[in-house]
Structures are given as C-alpha cells and as structure tokens.
Amino acid sequence: MTRFNRTFLIGAAAGFLCLCGVSGAGAQDIFRRPAMEAFVDKDTLLVFPAQVDTFQKVRVRKNENPVFGTVVRYENESGACADVYIYSLDNAAKPVHRDMFEKHCLETDRGILNLSAQNPKIKVERLDAPARNVSSGGYEAHYRIRNGSTQMDSVLYLALYKGKLIKVRISYSPEDTDEVTHARLFIDAVAAMLDKDNSADAKKTEDRQDKPENNADVPKSGAQS
C-alpha cells in the first residue's frame, strides 16, 4: 500500500473514531504555526513539542465548543497520524471527575466497537496487546477497523488531567508493523507529560501545607484555649 493510500484510509476511518460519543460542531480556528514550534494549550498549560518520537506536529485546531475542545495533530513519514484531544463533557466546561472519566472510557470503547451500527461496511474488533503499566491512571485499548477490503489499526488512550479529558488516538496501517511500537512510545510521552505536571502540582500543594503561616492558627502544645 502506498503512503497516499495509507493516509487516505487512515484519514477516512479515523473520522468515524473522533465522532464516537460526540454530536454537533461549532466554529473552529486552525492555528498554523512553524512546524518546529511547540504548542502550549492555554486551558491546561500542557506543552506539546514539535516532535514526539517519529511524529511531527502539523496542525492545531481549537473549537469554541469545549466538548470538541482542542486537537493537536501529529503525523509521521509512514502516513500514521496521532491526534491529541483536550476537551470537556459539557458546553459549560465543568471539571470532569474520576467517576465521570471512567464512565466516559466505557462509553468511548463501546462507541468504537459499535461503529458498524453507523456504517455496516465498517467492522471493528479489539486487538490483544501486551499488558502495559499505563501512566496517569489512563485507559488504553487497541482496535482493528475494516472498511470493505481495507483496514487500519488504531490505539486509544484516555486520561484525566486538571478536570479535562485528554484523548490520544493513533491510527496506522497494519502493514507498517513498526507503527504499534511508535504508537506506544507516543502514548508514553503524553502520559509522562501528564505525570510530570501532576507531580509538580502535588509538590506545590505539599510545600504550601508545610509553610509555617499555614499552621498559624494551630494551638501550640500546652497553650491555653
């Protein structure tokens, strides 16, 4: 399969995946910046580098509707694409809690497996993947999607970060046997980014709690009340 055919197939089939659990669309801004420039998401302050493993950042799309949120797209030379979505579950962008996140993971997985209900030509099966210690309390799943005689593999990763949902969807041709490794490396890089920032926030909270001024109202041992 040529790179053009791979890219066309991945783009067409991946479109179904990004619609799982989402309806409607609002106005969008596409930020076209120099390819080697990092992108900083203003809602989470996450920094997305220009290059992650074999993937090059090619586009940033921000939607006014927080349910669609921001999409950072990466591609590599084989035609594989990696999209990072930063979004909320409602139009008011209320913080997403852990129980809501876990429910969303199940609904997203169910939506992907039931894609054939939207288009009978599409068949989806879950792929077995080696057990992995996914960081950030994230959820990871692998799929094979067939559309007629063509097929693509896709990896889904979901995580919760500062009340926002972070979804990574990587799609590639199963003929490119090395791409599953690059997909996992990409997910690991995003998970490490979330872990690093979560650890920094936890350290700041701990430092504030340890400051003497935070304990000013605590009676000293032996003090009269």
Side-chain angles (χ1 to χ4, degrees):
M1 183 183 294
T2 66
R3 185 184 187 281
F4 172 80
N5 288 335
R6 289 190 186 111
T7 304
F8 178 80
L9 166 63
I10 289 167
F16 289 99
L17 289 180
C18 69
L19 293 175
C20 290
V22 179
S23 61
Q28 302 183 96
D29 293 325
I30 300 178
F31 298 95
R32 299 191 183 279
R33 304 296 300 171
M36 295 310 295
E37 179 181 270
F39 168 70
V40 181
D41 175 61
K42 70 178 183 65
D43 294 324
T44 61
L45 299 182
L46 289 171
V47 180
F48 294 91
Q51 188 87 26
V52 178
D53 187 50
T54 60
F55 291 89
Q56 175 82 46
K57 179 173 60 62
V58 296
R59 186 171 68 228
V60 178
R61 185 186 301 267
K62 186 172 180 63
N63 198 296
E64 294 177 0
N65 185 337
V67 174
F68 288 84
T70 298
V71 185
V72 185
R73 163 156 286 205
Y74 289 81
E75 296 177 357
N76 68 13
E77 287 299 322
S78 74
C81 62
D83 291 318
V84 183
Y85 299 79
I86 306 166
Y87 61 105
S88 303
L89 288 177
D90 59 63
N91 293 333
K94 295 177 183 177
V96 179
H97 301 295
R98 190 72 198 181
D99 58 338
M100 300 162 66
F101 165 73
E102 292 173 354
K103 179 181 178 183
H104 182 67
C105 289
L106 295 176
E107 291 175 344
T108 302
D109 176 66
R110 191 181 305 121
I112 292 173
L113 292 174
N114 292 336
L115 278 174
S116 59
Q118 301 177 38
N119 187 336
K121 294 182 179 180
I122 296 178
K123 306 298 179 184
V124 182
E125 63 177 307
R126 191 191 304 281
L127 294 178
D128 292 331
R132 279 162 41 82
N133 182 20
V134 182
S135 302
S136 297
Y139 172 86
E140 182 179 319
H142 295 237
Y143 309 90
R144 176 155 294 168
I145 302 165
R146 293 183 172 85
N147 187 352
S149 61
T150 57
Q151 62 183 8
M152 62 169 280
D153 286 355
S154 188
V155 184
L156 169 73
Y157 173 73
L158 279 162
L160 183 60
Y161 182 77
K162 295 184 177 180
K164 288 284 189 180
L165 291 163
I166 310 295
K167 177 170 70 176
V168 179
R169 191 206 61 229
I170 307 174
S171 305
Y172 54 90
S173 168
E175 293 181 8
D176 297 322
T177 55
D178 291 338
E179 288 308 313
V180 65
T181 299
H182 294 300
R184 290 169 182 160
L185 289 172
F186 188 96
I187 289 171
D188 288 344
V190 173
M193 183 193 311
L194 304 183
D195 283 341
K196 178 181 178 181
D197 284 0
N198 278 331
S199 297
D201 287 346
K203 182 65 167 60
K204 290 178 182 177
T205 300
E206 182 180 329
D207 289 344
R208 285 196 298 269
Q209 292 173 344
D210 288 341
K211 286 184 178 180
E213 56 266 30
N214 289 335
N215 298 318
D217 296 331
V218 179
K220 295 182 180 179
S221 176
Q224 297 296 319
S225 58

